[in-house]
Amino acid sequence: AQKVTQAQTEISVVEKEDVTLDCVYETRDTTYYLFWYKQPPSGELVFLIRRNSFDEQNEISGRYSWNFQKSTSSFNFTITASQVVDSAVYFCALSVPLENQFYFGTGTSLTVIP
Amino acid sequence: DAGVTQSPTHLIKTRGQQVTLRCSPKSGHDTVSWYQQALGQGPQFIFQYYEEEERQRGNFPDRFSGHQFPNYSSELNVNALLLGDSALYLCASSLRFEQYFGPGTRLTVT
């Protein structure tokens, strides 16, 4: 069975602080994909990143960076120099090729205080 | 290029009624998935449609049904609404392994 755990329910940081959102996944499949989505108050899920299980390279996109570690089944997301516009709920998700669905974590609500 | 669109945006129904939600996929996408997101929870997979057939189904009762049209748009139908069906219903269209989500339909059952 597939499972995604986001242990942090809510996080508050002061603007310009760095923040890391944790994601731990469980799967027995050797091929899988990991995703991060941002959900602002409007409700739409905004795609941030996709990684496949064979590519453990960390990725940086502007103030966003992702740390994928298969040894610990984690796919953590760091926002550097946080801004008020980063306030949202962030979801980590897992999919496997033979199952046509995404498995989402319960989300982490991030509040950036000005 | 229009993204995934959903209608209506909000809906209020009474327990026992039936509801139909609609989704138009992103241009070029042939697969549509539906998710239910209860307040404070992550999205839960309802089912996926591909080539007008239900390809996979999550753990939802038969009261939840769907349809996909030749133009790839899709409908989600929920019969005999329960209070617990109140949620944000998200449609996602995909091509290969990336899913793009629509803004959702917020359903309130009273």
Side-chain angles (χ1 to χ4, degrees):
Chain A
Q2 330 296 342
K3 185 178 180 181
V4 175
T5 300
Q6 295 179 256
Q8 305 153 307
T9 304
E10 296 181 2
I11 300 177
S12 291
V13 298
V14 176
E15 200 170 21
K16 298 184 182 177
E17 287 185 342
D18 299 347
V19 59
T20 295
L21 310 183
D22 298 333
C23 173
V24 174
Y25 62 92
E26 296 176 31
T27 180
R28 294 189 177 186
D29 289 69
T30 56
T31 300
Y32 53 89
Y33 299 86
L34 296 166
F35 302 80
W36 275 95
Y37 284 87
K38 175 182 180 180
Q39 188 175 46
S42 61
E44 183 170 354
L45 283 168
V46 178
F47 169 81
L48 296 178
I49 190 172
R50 176 181 73 118
R51 304 296 286 174
N52 71 56
S53 52
F54 300 108
D55 183 1
E56 286 193 72
Q57 275 193 336
N58 292 329
E59 183 161 335
I60 297 175
S61 177
R63 297 185 297 107
Y64 295 171
S65 62
W66 291 269
N67 184 334
F68 176 27
Q69 292 195 341
K70 289 178 74 171
S71 60
T72 56
S73 298
S74 65
F75 185 42
N76 296 337
F77 172 32
T78 297
I79 302 175
T80 303
S82 60
Q83 299 176 1
V84 173
V85 293
D86 296 328
S87 296
V89 180
Y90 291 85
F91 288 96
C92 180
L94 165 73
S95 74
V96 298
L98 293 182
E99 294 187 38
N100 301 304
Q101 63 173 295
F102 278 29
Y103 295 86
F104 283 86
T106 50
T108 297
S109 177
L110 173 65
T111 301
V112 180
I113 303 166
Chain B
D1 175 28
V4 180
T5 60
Q6 293 185 242
S7 63
T9 307
H10 295 88
L11 204 52
I12 299 175
K13 289 287 189 178
T14 303
R15 190 172 45 183
Q17 287 187 318
Q18 178 265 344
V19 68
T20 297
L21 311 182
R22 296 177 176 82
C23 171
S24 291
K26 186 177 170 65
S27 177
H29 287 188
D30 58 5
T31 303
V32 174
S33 302
W34 287 93
Y35 291 80
Q36 180 196 65
Q37 186 179 13
L39 198 61
Q41 299 296 316
Q44 297 292 315
F45 176 75
I46 302 175
F47 43 53
Q48 183 181 84
Y49 277 83
Y50 173 71
E51 292 187 344
E52 303 181 50
E53 296 287 332
E54 183 182 290
R55 181 157 71 172
Q56 184 135 356
R57 187 179 185 91
N59 188 25
F60 278 80
D62 292 343
R63 297 187 298 108
F64 290 78
S65 63
H67 188 75
Q68 186 179 33
F69 299 94
N71 66 354
Y72 306 126
S73 66
S74 176
E75 289 182 348
L76 163 65
N77 300 292
V78 187
N79 294 323
L81 285 167
L82 303 174
L83 296 179
D85 295 330
S86 295
L88 179 68
Y89 287 85
L90 294 163
C91 169
S93 72
S94 56
L95 191 64
R96 293 186 283 278
F97 299 116
E98 291 186 4
Q99 287 195 353
Y100 291 86
F101 286 81
T105 294
R106 190 164 296 282
L107 172 65
T108 302
V109 182
T110 63

